[in-house]
C-alpha cells in the first residue's frame, strides 16, 4: 500500500486477519518541523505553529465493554502512548484483548496544555461512523482486499474514447433502494447504464465522509480515507462497508465501465466544536489552537464558508497525495476528477495541484488513467497543459445551451465552443456537458421560459447531437437522458438552499417524455462508440462567435434560421478516414438547406438511416426537422 499515512497503518486497524476476533491498534500522527523540515514552514515565527499542545489522548468508543469498561466513558477510556517518529510523533494504543468481529465506533479524547478537552475524530479512519462524525474500525468481516477488483474489461481506455455518466449516489438510488446501502443499490442499474444507455464510464460524486448526518453532495469532505456512512450502511451487514464499494467497482469493471472518483482536495467541510465535540476536519481540531494546524489554511484562492487546505506545507501535500494513492491502489480507480482546482493552483508555484498530479501520474504509470480538472476560468487549457492533467471541464457548451434555451435562437458562439480542443496539447481532451450537478437539469431549462419544464424536452435534441458529435469527452448528468427536470439556483448567496436532494424519478425513463429522449441519447452514444472519427479533435470550420452566416463553402452558423453545419473527421483503427457532416436545426420549424460535402457519393444519415447520393459536393434542398438534425457519414 503506497503512501506514508496508510503504509504506516495510521488510523485504526485489526491486528491479524482472524475473521472472528482480533486486537485493534489505534495510531495518530502529528508532524514536527524540528524532525523533518519538509513537513511545514515556520509561518512567520509563530511560536506554537505546528504544535498541537497535547498532554494526553484517550480512545473512547463502543468497543470499551469488551475491555471490561463502559462504552464511551471518558473517565476510564484507555490512554494512548506518545512515541517518537522520524517525521514527528505518533500516539498509539492497542487493545490488550481481542475484540469480537463487528463494527466499532470511536473518537479521541484530547487533553490540551491549557486544560481543555475535546473529542475529535480520526483523520485516517477508513470507516465513517453513524453519528457525531465518529471514526470506526471493523474486526473480521470482508475487506476490500478480500473482494478482488478486476481490471476494467477490455482494458483501460483513454478518456477521449469514453462517454461519462455523472452519478450522485444518494439521488441515483433514493427511489428504489429501500433499506439497502446506496453503494449496493447502484449495482441494480449498471445493466441499464451499460446496455440500454451505453455509457462507458461513471464519475461518482464524492463518497468520502462529510460533517454531519444530513444530505450532502460530498463537496465538504472531513475524513478523506473513509466511505460516507450514509452510502455504505448495510443494516444486515454492518461490517461490509469497504467491501460494498469494492463490489460495486468490480461489477462496473466487469461490464467495461470505467470508474472515476470525484476528489475534493482544495477545501474541507468544517464546523465549530460544540460541547467539546469537534464535528469537522480532524487535523484542524486536534490542535489546541486551530490556527496552529499546518494542514489547514489558505494556499491559493479561498472558497467562502469552507476551510482551505494549506499546500505550503509538506504534510498537507503528503496527506492528500496519500489519499489519492489509497483510493487508486485499494479500489483500482480509472481516474480522478479534481474539484475546484482554481484555488489550489498558483502559477509559478509547483506546490498544490502540479505536485499532486505529477506524483499520481508517476505512481500510476498509465497514460490512460484520467486526471480531470474543474478549473473554471480562462486559463483552464493552459493549466491542463502545464500540470499533466488529462482533461478539464469546459463550461462553454453548457452556458450556450442554457442561454439559447431561455432566449430562443442561437449564435456563432456555440459552434466556436464545440472546438473544445482549442488551446490544448495533442494528448489532452476537454470534458463537455449540457449540464452537471451544479446546475438545473437541461430538460427543465428547455421549457423554463414557458413555465413548461420537460414538456418541451424535444428542444434538448439538437444540443444532445452537438454534444455527442463534437470533440472532447461528453459527460451526461444522471437523469438528463430521460428528461429529469429539477431546478436549482445557480447561487444561493449563503442561504443553504442549493445543496438539496434531487432523487431520480425512474418512472420518467419510460414515460412519453423520457423514453424518446433516452432513445436519442442511447443512439447518439452508440454512434460515437462505433465511430472513432467522432472522437478525434478535428472540426471544421474554425468559427468565431460574431459570425452570423454560413461561409462560402456552406459551413458554419446561419443565425437567422437557427441552423448549424460542421464537418468532423478522423481515422479508424485501419487508418481509413471516417467523415461526418453534422446538420442541426435549433428552430421550431423545419428548414430546407443546401448541405456541403467534402466527398461525392453515398452518405448515410446515422440518425434516420436514410442514404443520400451527393453530387458536385452538395446536397441541395435537404429538409431538417425542427429541433433535430442529421449526422451524415461516409
Amino acid at each position: 500500500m503506497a503512501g506514508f499515512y496508510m503504509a504506516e497503518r495510521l488510523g485504526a486497524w485489526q491486528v491479524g486477519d482472524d475473521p472472528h476476533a482480533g486486537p485493534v491498534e489505534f495510531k495518530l500522527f502529528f508532524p514536527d518541523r524540528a524532525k523533518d523540515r519538509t513537513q511545514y514552514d515556520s509561518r512567520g515565527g509563530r511560536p506554537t505553529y505546528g504544535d498541537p499542545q497535547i498532554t494526553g489522548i484517550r480512545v473512547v468508543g463502543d468497543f470499551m465493554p469488551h475491555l471490561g469498561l463502559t462504552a464511551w466513558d471518558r473517565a476510564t477510556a484507555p490512554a494512548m502512548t506518545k512515541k517518537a517518529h522520524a517525521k514527528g510523533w505518533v500516539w498509539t494504543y492497542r487493545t490488550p484483548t481481542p475484540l469480537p468481529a463487528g463494527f466499532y465506533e470511536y473518537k479521541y479524547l484530547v487533553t490540551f496544555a491549557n486544560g481543555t478537552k475535546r473529542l475529535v475524530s480520526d483523520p485516517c479512519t477508513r470507516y465513517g461512523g453513524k453519528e457525531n462524525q465518529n471514526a470506526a474500525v471493523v474486526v473480521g468481516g470482508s475487506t476490500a482486499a478480500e473482494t478482488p477488483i478486476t481490471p476494467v474489461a477490455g482494458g483501460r481506455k483513454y478518456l477521449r474514447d469514453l462517454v461519462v455518466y455523472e452519478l450522485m449516489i444518494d439521488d441515483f438510488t433514493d427511489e428504489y433502494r429501500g433499506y439497502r446501502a446506496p453503494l449496493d443499490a447502484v449495482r441494480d442499474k449498471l445493466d441499464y447504464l451499460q446496455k440500454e444507455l451505453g455509457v462507458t464510464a461513471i464519475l461518482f460524486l464524492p463518497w468520502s465522509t462529510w460533517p454531519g448526518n444530513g444530505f450532502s453532495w460530498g463537496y465538504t469532505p472531513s475524513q478523506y480515507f473513509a466511505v460516507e456512512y450514509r452510502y455504505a450502511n448495510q443494516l444486515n451487514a454492518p461490517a461490509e462497508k469497504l467491501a460494498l464499494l469494492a463490489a460495486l467497482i468490480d461489477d462496473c469493471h466487469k461490464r467495461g465501465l470505467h470508474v472515476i472518483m470525484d476528489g475534493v482536495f482544495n477545501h474541507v467541510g468544517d464546523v465549530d466544536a460544540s460541547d467539546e465535540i469537534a464535528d469537522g476536519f480532524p487535523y484542524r481540531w486536534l490542535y489546541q489552537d486551530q490556527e496552529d494546524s499546518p494542514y489547514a489554511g489558505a494556499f491559493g484562492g479561498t472558497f467562502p464558508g469552507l476551510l482551505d487546505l494549506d499546500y505550503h506545507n509538506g504534510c498537507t501535500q503528503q496527506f492528500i497525495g496519500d489519499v489519492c494513492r489509497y483510493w487508486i491502489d485499494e479500489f483500482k480507480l480509472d481516474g480522478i476528477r479534481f474539484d475546484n482546482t482554481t484555488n489550489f493552483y498558483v502559477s509559478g508555484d509547483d506546490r498544490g495541484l502540479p505536485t499532486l498530479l505529477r506524483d499520481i501520474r508517476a505512481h500510476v504509470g498509465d497514460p490512460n488513467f484520467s486526471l480531470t480538472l474543474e478549473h473554471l476560468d480562462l486559463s483552464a487549457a493552459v493549466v491542463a497543459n502545464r500540470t499533466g492533467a488529462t482533461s478539464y471541464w469546459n463550461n462553454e457548451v453548457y452556458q450556450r445551451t442554457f442561454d439559447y434555451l431561455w432566449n430562443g435562437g442561437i449564435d456563432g458562439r456555440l459552434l466556436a465552443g464545440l472546438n473544445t480542443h482549442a488551446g490544448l496539447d495533442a494528448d489532452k481532451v476537454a470534458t463537455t456537458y449540457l449540464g452537471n450537478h451544479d446546475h438545473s437539469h437541461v430538460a427543465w431549462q428547455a421549457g423554463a421560459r414557458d413555465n413548461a419544464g420537460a414538456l418541451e424536452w424535444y428542444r434538448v435534441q439538437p444540443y444532445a447531437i452537438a454534444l455527442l458529435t463534437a470533440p472532447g469527452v461528453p459527460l451526461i448528468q444522471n437523469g438528463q437522458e430521460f428528461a429529469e427536470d429539477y431546478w436549482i439556483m445557480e447561487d444561493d448567496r449563503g442561504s443553504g438552499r442549493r445543496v438539496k436532494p434531487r432523487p431520480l424519478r425512474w418512472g420518467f425513463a419510460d414515460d412519453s417524455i423520457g423514453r424518446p429522449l433516452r432513445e436519442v441519447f442511447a443512439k447518439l452514444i452508440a454512434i460515437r462508440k462505433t465511430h472513432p472519427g467522432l472522437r478525434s479533435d478535428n472540426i471544421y470550420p474554425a468559427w468565431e462567435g460574431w459570425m452570423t452566416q454560413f461561409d462560402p463553402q456552406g459551413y458554419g452558423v446561419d443565425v437567422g434560421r437557427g441552423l448549424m453545419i460542421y464537418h468532423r473527421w478522423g481515422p479508424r483503427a485501419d487508418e481509413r478516414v471516417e467523415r461526418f457532416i453534422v446538420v442541426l436545426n435549433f428552430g421550431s420549424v423545419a428548414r430546407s438547406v443546401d448541405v456541403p460535402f467534402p466527398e461525392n457519393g453515398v452518405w448515410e444519415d446515422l440518425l434516420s438511416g436514410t442514404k443520400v447520393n451527393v453530387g458536385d459536393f452538395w446536397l441541395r434542398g435537404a429538409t431538417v426537422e425542427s429541433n433535430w438534425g442529421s449526422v451524415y457519414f461516409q
Side-chain angles (χ1 to χ4, degrees):
M1 184 182 296
F4 165 73
Y5 285 83
M6 288 293 105
E8 295 271 343
R9 293 173 70 89
L10 299 173
W13 297 69
Q14 176 184 345
V15 179
D17 56 6
D18 188 331
H20 305 293
V24 170
E25 184 172 56
F26 302 85
K27 295 176 70 175
L28 182 59
F29 169 75
F30 292 90
D32 188 341
R33 184 173 183 268
K35 294 188 172 187
D36 181 356
R37 293 180 65 85
T38 68
Q39 289 296 298
Y40 52 89
D41 64 22
S42 60
R43 192 57 60 86
R46 181 184 173 103
T48 56
Y49 186 71
D51 182 358
Q53 301 187 69
I54 293 173
T55 59
I57 305 177
R58 294 177 178 271
V59 187
V60 187
D62 58 11
F63 66 91
M64 292 169 60
H66 297 291
L67 307 181
L69 306 170
T70 302
W72 297 103
D73 180 34
R74 302 184 189 186
T76 61
M80 303 182 79
T81 302
K82 184 179 180 181
K83 297 181 179 180
H85 187 280
K87 292 179 179 290
W89 302 91
V90 175
W91 292 76
T92 67
Y93 171 73
R94 179 183 291 194
T95 60
T97 58
L99 304 182
F103 179 77
Y104 299 97
E105 299 188 34
Y106 68 95
K107 264 194 171 73
Y108 296 123
L109 177 62
V110 185
T111 301
F112 295 106
N114 65 3
T116 61
K117 298 179 185 291
R118 186 181 301 142
L119 277 175
V120 187
S121 196
D122 190 333
C124 293
T125 182
R126 293 165 299 128
Y127 297 87
K130 180 179 180 181
E131 58 188 1
N132 297 325
Q133 211 60 40
N134 293 336
V137 61
V138 166
V139 174
S142 299
T143 67
E146 293 167 346
T147 308
I149 301 172
T150 56
V152 63
R156 188 182 284 156
K157 297 178 175 62
Y158 192 75
L159 192 59
R160 74 170 70 249
D161 292 319
L162 303 178
V163 177
V164 182
Y165 192 83
E166 185 194 49
L167 191 152
M168 197 286 170
I169 297 168
D170 203 323
D171 287 340
F172 188 82
T173 61
D174 178 86
E175 187 178 80
Y176 68 85
R177 67 178 180 250
Y179 291 103
R180 287 182 301 155
L183 284 173
D184 187 47
V186 169
R187 298 170 66 189
D188 291 4
K189 296 292 186 181
L190 293 182
D191 275 349
Y192 162 79
L193 294 175
Q194 175 212 357
K195 297 176 181 178
E196 294 185 42
L197 187 58
V199 299
T200 48
I202 301 175
L203 167 63
F204 288 95
L205 265 62
W207 57 52
S208 296
T209 296
W210 57 78
N213 300 322
F215 177 89
S216 174
W217 288 351
Y219 291 99
T220 54
S222 175
Q223 297 161 321
Y224 273 105
F225 295 100
V227 178
E228 166 60 32
Y229 184 90
R230 183 185 182 101
Y231 287 169
N233 182 35
Q234 195 84 313
L235 294 181
N236 61 349
E240 301 299 304
K241 300 184 187 311
L242 291 182
L244 290 177
L245 178 59
L248 170 59
I249 294 174
D250 183 59
D251 213 345
C252 288
H253 280 180
K254 288 176 179 176
R255 290 169 164 78
L257 292 169
H258 293 57
V259 173
I260 303 170
M261 180 185 81
D262 203 338
V264 187
F265 305 129
N266 169 72
H267 56 259
V268 294
D270 207 39
V271 294
D272 292 335
S274 174
D275 297 325
E276 298 182 345
I277 297 176
D279 186 7
F281 180 53
Y283 261 136
R284 182 184 184 219
W285 294 102
L286 285 166
Y287 288 72
Q288 176 178 291
D289 184 339
Q290 292 82 61
E291 298 304 312
D292 289 335
S293 171
Y295 293 91
F299 170 70
T302 59
F303 199 109
L306 295 173
L307 178 68
D308 298 291
L309 295 177
D310 194 348
Y311 287 92
H312 291 107
N313 299 322
C315 60
T316 304
Q317 194 86 51
Q318 175 80 64
F319 181 76
I320 295 300
D322 283 4
V323 168
C324 294
R325 285 181 281 269
Y326 169 72
W327 294 112
I328 292 167
D329 292 350
E330 295 300 307
F331 294 92
K332 307 300 184 290
L333 301 180
D334 304 298
I336 299 175
R337 181 251 189 198
F338 298 83
D339 181 68
N340 192 34
T341 54
T342 54
N343 283 346
F344 64 112
Y345 172 79
V346 177
S347 182
D349 192 333
D350 193 50
R351 294 171 295 185
L353 182 67
T355 294
L356 183 60
L357 295 181
R358 182 194 64 221
D359 290 351
I360 293 171
R361 181 66 71 202
H363 178 74
V364 175
D366 181 356
N368 287 347
F369 186 91
S370 63
L371 302 169
T372 301
L373 313 182
E374 186 202 28
H375 205 89
L376 301 181
D377 69 22
L378 296 178
S379 69
V382 173
V383 173
N385 293 337
R386 288 178 178 173
T387 60
T390 306
S391 180
Y392 76 94
W393 272 26
N394 185 316
N395 246 6
E396 186 65 17
V397 173
Y398 146 71
Q399 289 176 330
R400 299 285 70 79
T401 298
F402 271 53
D403 180 15
Y404 302 152
L405 287 174
W406 178 262
N407 292 305
I410 61 169
D411 59 37
R413 290 175 294 171
L414 179 57
L415 181 53
L418 293 184
N419 186 14
T420 62
H421 194 68
L424 286 172
D425 291 345
D427 61 340
K428 315 295 182 186
V429 59
T431 297
T432 58
Y433 36 81
L434 303 184
N436 56 53
H437 69 276
D438 271 324
H439 312 293
S440 302
H441 277 94
V442 68
W444 177 88
Q445 186 76 357
R449 192 66 180 260
D450 298 328
N451 199 29
L455 289 173
E456 296 182 14
W457 65 271
Y458 45 84
R459 297 185 65 207
V460 174
Q461 293 178 123
Y463 299 98
I465 298 171
L467 175 71
L468 285 150
T469 60
V473 53
L475 177 141
I476 297 167
Q477 179 189 10
N478 55 199
Q480 181 180 97
E481 75 276 15
F482 56 75
E484 185 60 90
D485 62 351
Y486 286 103
W487 172 85
I488 63 169
M489 58 190 73
E490 290 290 304
D491 182 358
D492 67 5
R493 301 180 186 178
S495 68
R497 291 198 168 203
R498 178 173 162 77
V499 181
K500 297 299 178 185
R502 289 178 282 175
L504 297 196
R505 293 165 286 198
W506 283 97
F508 287 4
D510 288 307
D511 69 11
S512 60
I513 294 173
R515 183 185 303 109
L517 186 58
R518 177 167 55 85
E519 290 173 352
V520 168
F521 271 99
K523 187 160 195 172
L524 287 166
I525 292 169
I527 290 171
R528 189 177 183 92
K529 288 164 60 177
T530 302
H531 296 285
L534 285 174
R535 307 195 294 272
S536 77
D537 301 326
N538 305 317
I539 187 170
Y540 178 86
W543 205 248
E544 299 289 342
W546 55 267
M547 297 177 176
T548 61
Q549 295 291 330
F550 291 143
D551 67 13
Q553 290 75 41
Y555 295 97
V557 180
D558 183 336
V559 173
R561 297 199 296 160
L563 297 172
M564 180 183 297
I565 300 176
Y566 53 91
H567 177 203
R568 297 273 285 115
W569 70 96
R572 305 190 312 189
D574 61 7
E575 298 186 358
R576 295 178 63 188
V577 174
E578 297 182 316
R579 295 188 181 276
F580 308 85
I581 297 295
V582 182
V583 185
L584 300 175
N585 179 3
F586 295 88
S588 59
V589 298
R591 295 289 187 183
S592 177
V593 62
D594 295 336
V595 182
F597 286 82
E599 300 285 347
N600 289 323
V602 176
W603 290 70
E604 179 184 0
D605 181 355
L606 297 176
L607 289 175
S608 68
T610 303
K611 294 183 178 180
V612 297
N613 196 4
V614 174
D616 297 326
F617 304 100
W618 288 92
L619 180 63
R620 303 290 181 180
T623 298
V624 191
E625 298 298 331
S626 64
N627 300 296
W628 190 237
S630 296
V631 181
Y632 292 106
F633 164 68
Q634 187 185 61

